[in-house]
Amino acid sequence: ERGGVYRRMGNGGSTGGGGAKAAPPKSSAPVFICDDTASEMYTTKFDEGGIPKLLYCDEFDVFDTHNLSQKKTIMLGREKPCDVLVTNSEVSKKHLTISFDDGKFVVSTMSQFGTGLFNEEATTVVAENDAVPISGSGLLKLGRSIVGFNSKKLEHLLIEVIDGDAKGRKWATGPKAKSFYVGRSEECPVKMPTAGSSISGKHLEFQKHIDGGWTVMDNSTFGTLVCGDWPLRKGKRCLVVPGMTLEIGKEHQMQKLIIKTLDD
């Protein structure tokens, strides 16, 4: 069954912003953001039993969703007849499959390039001809592209800085939040330290998607690393999943954020 297709929002990015104003004092209590934004509360029905319902592909100018099924094997790759097309040179024609076997969904890699997997807050590589079970929410790295899967729509986020000058600071989305920025600009609800220039004014854009929870997009000049060393492609949305890290800034300006959930 094919899910809906939604157009990706514009970048809205900036590399400027930020004067000499000092960062607010660190606090162990989260600052709630975007709480006064007028927004509908979106709801989506998911299958019971924690079955992954959606796939997200960051490759094109459309934001694509695809329902997983216990009865059908889904194939991802560079060319048709793959169910999900991810067209870059580091993706094989038939790169991987996701199937249901012995009560679990399983990722099987057919590509010589392998597949990066972030699941259960751990990162690994699924080599050619290997198969690994997946559960809950996670990310798959095919070449330069990141595809996400989830079994539960993520409604509320907690963002914490775990490394860098802002270490210990926390922000949480309010019940009506639908989008916000992370960066040096005064317009960013999640404001980073202003020293240096390797963190852009509006470095990251978070947006709540109508059918699957939160996404994040890099708008910066110097880039963002996801889950350790995966580059987040500029202008391409990536599904936000619990436990993922986002590293922005270079060397002594680096700030490392981790995504947690307030839903539990």
Side-chain angles (χ1 to χ4, degrees):
E1 181 183 354
R2 185 74 171 172
V5 176
Y6 305 92
R7 293 201 173 276
R8 176 172 57 79
M9 299 294 290
N11 288 6
S14 170
T15 58
K21 184 177 178 182
K26 300 174 184 178
S27 172
S28 59
V31 175
F32 278 82
I33 57 177
C34 305
D35 200 28
D36 57 352
T37 304
S39 169
E40 296 181 9
M41 293 302 295
Y42 299 119
T43 59
T44 302
K45 182 179 179 182
F46 285 80
D47 291 343
E48 296 179 357
I51 298 173
K53 182 70 172 176
L54 300 173
L55 278 173
Y56 297 78
C57 180
D58 72 348
E59 178 67 20
F60 306 108
D61 286 336
V62 293
F63 193 69
D64 194 20
T65 67
H66 199 108
N67 296 338
L68 297 180
S69 170
Q70 296 182 5
K71 300 179 180 179
K72 179 184 177 183
T73 296
I74 301 296
M75 183 177 292
L76 286 72
R78 197 175 70 237
E79 296 181 359
K80 293 183 178 180
C82 290
D83 302 281
V84 179
L85 295 177
V86 186
T87 55
N88 70 63
S89 59
E90 297 172 9
V91 176
S92 297
K93 294 179 180 179
K94 296 179 179 179
H95 196 100
L96 66 84
T97 60
I98 302 177
S99 57
F100 192 77
D101 182 44
D102 195 25
K104 298 178 181 178
F105 280 96
V106 177
V107 171
S108 302
T109 297
M110 300 172 287
S111 170
Q112 61 178 327
F113 299 112
T115 303
L117 171 64
F118 177 78
N119 193 212
E120 302 295 339
E121 302 189 13
T123 305
T124 187
V125 174
V126 186
E128 184 178 11
N129 298 321
D130 279 355
V132 175
I134 59 173
S135 62
S137 302
L139 302 171
L140 296 163
K141 184 176 184 295
L142 291 75
R144 300 185 304 275
S145 296
I146 299 175
V147 177
F149 58 90
N150 66 4
S151 58
K152 180 182 179 182
K153 180 181 174 182
L154 191 59
E155 291 284 357
H156 306 293
L157 302 181
L158 176 66
I159 300 175
E160 179 179 357
V161 181
I162 58 174
D163 195 8
D165 291 342
K167 183 177 179 180
R169 295 204 65 203
K170 300 175 184 178
W171 298 262
T173 55
K176 295 182 179 180
K178 64 177 182 179
S179 65
F180 62 91
Y181 288 101
V182 175
R184 292 189 297 119
S185 171
E186 295 292 341
E187 300 176 20
C188 295
V190 180
K191 189 175 182 305
M192 294 289 103
T194 56
S197 59
S198 62
I199 297 178
S200 296
K202 295 181 178 178
H203 199 106
L204 296 173
E205 178 187 354
F206 284 78
Q207 187 175 82
K208 197 172 190 179
H209 192 263
I210 190 171
D211 203 30
W214 288 90
T215 63
V216 62
M217 182 168 68
D218 176 81
N219 294 319
S220 73
T221 300
F222 291 94
T224 301
L225 295 178
V226 180
C227 302
D229 60 356
W230 297 359
L232 186 61
R233 297 180 66 199
K234 186 174 182 178
K236 303 295 184 182
R237 292 205 172 275
C238 175
L239 182 68
V240 173
V241 298
M244 72 186 291
T245 58
L246 297 157
E247 188 175 311
I248 63 177
K250 302 296 183 182
E251 298 178 350
H252 65 279
Q253 301 165 11
M254 184 274 294
Q255 308 293 320
K256 189 173 184 179
L257 294 73
I258 190 169
I259 303 297
K260 301 180 180 179
T261 176
L262 295 175
D263 296 341
D264 296 334

